[in-house]
Amino acid sequence: AKRIEGEAAIYGPKLDYMFKDALGKERQLSTIQLDFAMPQRFGLTYRDKDGEEKTPVMIHRAPVGSMERFVAILLEHTGGNFPLWLMPTQAIILSISEKYEKYAEKVLNLLENNEIRALVDYRSETMGKKIRDAEVNKTPYMLIIGEQEAENGTISVRKHGGEDLGSITIEDFSKLINTEIKSTLKEFIV
């Protein structure tokens, strides 16, 4: 903590919380400031416990700064690779062909029942293109399904970045996701 006298605090004393971004630059994120001027300017008063008329003190607070600044810092800090719990799409289901779309729907329903945010890629593109697009979109998990997976009731799991986790059951995948969410949430909870 640093005390800086006369630092553009027009209304009264303020607290600024500074954070270092991914590039090591110091940025202000949140602020809380006491305002002695505005209540007086608007003629705001209240009666205290002794019945005396007093002018209140206004508190301006922006715990995460502006929403735009907060999101910009979050994007910059993570490089768009949000933690799993924050990703809008946690897994994408990639069907090798149209024949397995019904199984893809079943997988999607099971994942949604386990509160996992997933989508099915119904495009008639090559598997390589679907995987590339999922990588570019930074989707954490790609679930590839074909004949073998449909017959065995499994999914072939590929992580963002190319790590192949092999063929597992949907239940095991749900456990894997929930474990990862719990472990990464600990980093963000103080």
Side-chain angles (χ1 to χ4, degrees):
K2 294 190 260 194
R3 184 182 176 126
I4 304 172
E5 297 286 340
E7 166 88 4
I10 300 165
Y11 311 116
K14 71 175 182 173
L15 294 173
D16 287 332
Y17 294 93
M18 307 301 283
F19 295 89
K20 283 196 177 169
D21 65 16
L23 302 173
K25 288 182 8 196
E26 204 171 77
R27 298 190 181 267
Q28 175 194 333
L29 186 60
S30 57
T31 185
I32 300 169
Q33 182 170 9
L34 298 178
D35 181 345
F36 298 105
M38 294 297 269
Q40 196 169 25
R41 205 185 258 167
F42 286 113
L44 301 177
T45 60
Y46 70 96
R47 295 211 180 272
D48 70 6
K49 64 182 179 183
D50 300 324
E52 288 185 44
E53 199 170 89
K54 302 269 180 153
T55 302
V57 174
M58 186 181 288
I59 300 174
H60 299 276
R61 56 186 285 281
V64 292
S66 71
M67 189 53 74
E68 293 84 2
R69 184 185 302 167
F70 178 75
V71 170
I73 290 171
L74 181 63
L75 280 167
E76 185 179 306
H77 183 71
T78 63
N81 288 310
F82 290 144
L84 185 60
W85 55 269
L86 189 56
M87 287 298 288
T89 302
Q90 297 167 323
I92 188 157
I93 302 162
L94 309 174
S95 176
I96 288 177
S97 79
E98 291 175 5
K99 288 190 273 184
Y100 309 109
E101 284 182 4
K102 198 170 212 144
Y103 181 62
E105 285 292 327
K106 180 181 176 185
V107 170
L108 178 65
N109 288 332
L110 289 168
L111 293 174
E112 287 175 343
N113 288 340
N114 284 295
E115 298 182 12
I116 296 169
R117 296 183 296 276
L119 297 172
V120 177
D121 186 342
Y122 291 107
R123 299 175 305 155
S124 57
E125 295 286 351
T126 65
M127 186 55 66
K129 171 107 171 92
K130 288 180 180 184
I131 289 171
R132 249 185 329 279
D133 291 346
E135 284 288 338
V136 167
N137 291 331
K138 302 180 190 255
T139 306
Y141 288 96
M142 290 154 260
L143 312 179
I144 301 164
I145 57 172
E147 183 178 359
Q148 221 174 16
E149 289 80 14
E151 284 177 9
N152 298 334
T154 60
I155 50 178
S156 186
V157 181
R158 177 187 167 102
K159 253 185 126 166
H160 173 66
E163 184 183 350
D164 185 6
L165 302 181
S167 190
I168 60 174
T169 66
I170 299 158
E171 186 179 292
D172 286 344
F173 178 70
S174 295
K175 288 177 187 172
L176 175 104
I177 290 272
N178 288 323
T179 301
E180 184 176 333
I181 287 171
K182 285 176 187 167
S183 71
T184 56
L185 259 176
K186 288 177 187 174
E187 296 172 23
F188 287 85
I189 297 173
V190 179

